[in-house]
Amino acid sequence: MVMLRVSQNAQQVIPTQMKQVPEDESSTDASLLENVIVDPVVRGFIRDWDAMEDLLSHVLYTGLGWEIGNEGQILFTDPLATPKAVREQLVQMMFEKFNISGFFASEQAVLSLYAVGRISGCTVDIGHGKMDIASVIEGAVQHISSRRFEIGGLDLTNLFAQELRKSNPLVNFSISDVEKLKERYASCAEDDAAYQKIQQACPEEQHTLPDGQVIKIGRERYTVGEALFQPSILGLELHGIVEQLVRCISTVSSENHRQLLENTVLCGGSASMTGFEDRFQKEASLSSSAIRPCLVKPPEYMPDNLSKYSAWVGGAILAKVVFPQNQHVTKADYDETGPSIVHRKCF
């Protein structure tokens, strides 16, 4: 389940998962649809456009109070490596279905750097269904040295569920329960040696689920975080997250290595996991790279949970520039050129 974050004076965080309901409530098939879950966003990309249109209609007209015939402007964040066809279909839907007055889109890596006052650096973005490692120079993503991995919070939730079922075999876990447990308990060990010790002996905590079942949580909470540094836990033949970052940046001209690695930003929901930032920095200090990754501390005036919403914060900053200065795609631009205008004005 991806969270959609929107703002117009007030902020809203809305899950993208929806229940399918029949158009006619008296339909005999109503009971069959009762538990059908639809998620228009899969691994960071829109896959179900009809569902996305329904979701955006709810967000814009019900959540933000837009009025039909008086729609406003909108800025979207693009995950790394978003296909051109997806960008075009999105701008087409917004102008033709929602009749917006202005559109802009920017890549999440660029926006996350804006949120901490940078225009160059690296981002490690651990989203719900993907992890993006991107390098940005002067506000432009360097795609040759950026990489997308189909591993994210969803995979960590499934891993946590698997581990909890081993230690609590009589308990019936729902994924929504496990998601909440992960947000509360998941942690990273200080280093690999500390993780190995935890596997031998770890204090257990008791937790009562909403339905009254009591479970115990121990070493499982650390397995979740360790999977980002040892993907073999997930059955993946990948290097750990720090090594992946260093390898991505190694493909950039060496004169940019310091500028990129010393301005590294962690973002996405899983980056706020207890102990993750400290573990990342420790692994970085042990890196064989001549220039080691160094994390950027967010400005003091930024919210404590900036890593979770950094792309949104950066988008809010950018929106205050592109729309007043007419740098966005206007309705006239779209009518003249069509959906391909998004590649010319949003880059």
Side-chain angles (χ1 to χ4, degrees), residues 73 321-328 330 345:
Q73 300 163 327
V321 177
V322 295
F323 292 115
Q325 295 184 8
N326 294 318
Q327 297 172 8
H328 59 285
T330 65
K345 299 201 75 169

Side-chain angles (χ1 to χ4, degrees), residues 94 109 174 222 257 321:
M94 297 315 298
S174 70
Y222 292 97
H257 286 185
V321 177

Side-chain angles (χ1 to χ4, degrees), residues 5-305:
R5 190 172 176 87
V6 296
S7 171
Q8 182 172 295
N9 300 323
Q11 300 174 6
Q12 297 183 36
V13 180
I14 301 170
T16 57
Q17 279 189 349
M18 302 177 287
K19 276 193 175 182
Q20 189 171 344
V21 296
E23 293 183 13
D24 179 4
E25 293 186 7
S26 64
S27 169
T28 55
D29 293 334
S31 59
L32 298 177
L33 294 175
E34 198 171 287
N35 294 314
V36 175
I37 301 296
V38 178
D39 196 334
V41 181
V42 178
R43 298 286 180 188
F45 295 147
I46 300 171
R47 300 299 188 197
D48 186 329
W49 288 93
D50 290 337
M52 193 66 192
E53 184 179 336
D54 289 341
L55 177 62
L56 286 172
S57 181
H58 170 76
V59 169
L60 299 176
Y61 295 114
T62 303
L64 296 184
W66 279 16
E67 296 178 0
I68 294 176
N70 189 32
E71 287 82 2
Q73 300 163 327
I74 193 163
L75 184 149
F76 281 88
T77 68
D78 286 336
L80 184 69
T82 299
K84 284 186 175 182
V86 171
R87 299 186 86 206
E88 290 182 9
Q89 193 163 350
L90 179 61
V91 73
Q92 180 178 8
M93 179 173 70
M94 297 315 298
F95 278 112
E96 297 186 7
K97 299 287 188 180
F98 292 96
N99 195 35
I100 60 170
S101 58
F103 177 96
F104 199 80
S106 184
E107 296 199 69
Q108 291 174 354
V110 174
L111 299 177
S112 292
L113 284 167
Y114 285 172
V116 295
R118 300 291 194 278
I119 60 172
S120 298
C122 299
T123 61
V124 179
D125 187 345
I126 313 168
H128 176 71
K130 50 81 184 175
M131 178 174 72
D132 295 336
I133 296 179
S135 59
V136 179
I137 298 177
E138 299 295 320
V141 174
Q142 307 300 297
H143 288 279
I144 194 170
S145 59
S146 301
R147 192 174 172 193
R148 167 190 165 95
F149 302 86
E150 293 209 342
I151 167 179
L154 170 65
D155 304 281
L156 299 181
T157 298
N158 290 336
L159 172 65
F160 197 28
Q162 175 184 311
E163 295 298 309
L164 286 172
R165 289 180 181 122
K166 288 179 184 176
S167 53
N168 299 271
L170 301 180
V171 177
N172 183 26
F173 291 97
S174 70
I175 285 297
S176 61
D177 284 342
V178 177
E179 187 82 40
K180 292 171 185 173
L181 290 170
K182 183 188 72 174
E183 291 178 4
R184 178 171 176 177
Y185 290 103
S187 304
C188 285
E190 182 180 344
D191 53 28
D192 179 55
Y195 176 70
Q196 296 305 326
K197 286 183 180 179
I198 287 168
Q199 293 306 294
Q200 301 303 317
C202 180
E204 293 182 339
E205 291 186 44
Q206 286 196 336
H207 178 89
T208 303
L209 296 174
D211 62 3
Q213 295 180 96
V214 177
I215 63 170
K216 55 185 180 180
I217 301 175
R219 68 191 68 174
E220 304 88 357
R221 63 192 298 180
Y222 292 97
T223 303
V224 178
E226 194 66 23
L228 293 171
F229 299 93
Q230 297 188 53
S232 58
I233 292 173
L234 289 166
L236 301 172
E237 294 183 6
L238 294 173
H239 294 283
I241 193 168
V242 174
E243 181 64 19
Q244 290 288 6
L245 170 62
V246 170
R247 284 171 175 258
C248 285
I249 302 308
S250 68
T251 61
V252 180
S253 172
S254 58
E255 64 186 29
N256 292 313
H257 286 185
R258 183 176 300 278
Q259 179 187 33
L260 293 172
L261 288 172
E262 291 187 353
N263 290 287
T264 297
V265 174
L266 301 178
C267 40
S270 296
S272 59
M273 188 187 309
T274 302
F276 176 74
E277 185 176 314
D278 291 339
R279 174 66 179 277
F280 186 97
Q281 194 66 76
K282 184 162 187 178
E283 295 281 337
S285 70
L286 300 173
S287 170
S288 58
S289 172
I291 300 171
R292 293 167 179 167
C294 184
L295 298 180
V296 176
K297 292 293 183 183
E300 292 183 0
Y301 55 80
M302 285 296 182
D304 292 337
N305 61 350

